[in-house]
Amino acid sequence: MRTGILPMLAGLALFTAACVSGTPGAETARGNRNVITRQQMIDVNATSVYDAVQKLQGSWLTTRGPTSITDETPTMVSVYMTGSDMGGVEFLRRLRPDDVNEIRYYESGEASARFGLGHQRGVIEVIPRGVQ
């Protein structure tokens, strides 16, 4: 019975090593549903950042119905780049994937904490190339 424990421990060690190996940060970007990388945009042959978001995370672009009885304006996601409000998703149509390092999506609560109130549909943050 004791001879079976050594191979089991060796297998466990190999499994653990496989789980933690790899390029630091690479798995985080691929596994995070709120991040799109430049490489992912290139992989889907996106012609614009809007096209990339639509192909990879289309739910970020969906509108939400009116948020109150008195204001029937549908709520759209806001777009920020380098800390500045760039308006709505139309801004993404003018950006090429090669000019962008990463795109991040923040849901309503996190968007309000990071960018201020008024982001009921969330925020898409564009991180331009050369900025971390």
Side-chain angles (χ1 to χ4, degrees), residues 58-75:
S59 64
W60 295 1
L61 301 173
T62 58
T63 61
R64 184 174 152 193
T67 57
S68 78
I69 295 171
T70 58
D71 181 11
E72 295 187 14
T73 309
T75 306

Side-chain angles (χ1 to χ4, degrees), residues 6-105:
L6 189 57
M8 186 171 69
L9 288 175
L12 182 60
L14 283 173
F15 176 75
T16 304
C19 288
V20 297
S21 67
T23 306
E27 194 60 40
T28 304
R30 273 186 270 138
N32 189 339
R33 65 180 178 85
N34 290 333
V35 174
I36 297 174
T37 64
R38 181 174 55 246
Q39 187 59 51
Q40 289 172 312
M41 290 186 272
I42 291 168
D43 290 347
V44 298
N45 284 330
T47 56
S48 69
V49 172
Y50 180 90
D51 184 39
V53 172
Q54 190 173 40
K55 288 179 178 180
L56 295 166
Q57 293 291 347
S59 64
W60 295 1
L61 301 173
T62 58
T63 61
R64 184 174 152 193
T67 57
S68 78
I69 295 171
T70 58
D71 181 11
E72 295 187 14
T73 309
T75 306
M76 297 289 296
V77 67
S78 299
V79 178
Y80 277 74
M81 186 165 81
T82 58
S84 298
D85 187 351
M86 306 309 289
V89 296
E90 288 304 313
F91 176 74
L92 301 176
R93 292 182 191 274
R94 298 189 304 254
L95 293 175
R96 296 178 320 137
D98 196 45
D99 296 333
V100 174
N101 188 45
E102 188 174 88
I103 306 164
R104 298 177 187 154
Y105 175 72

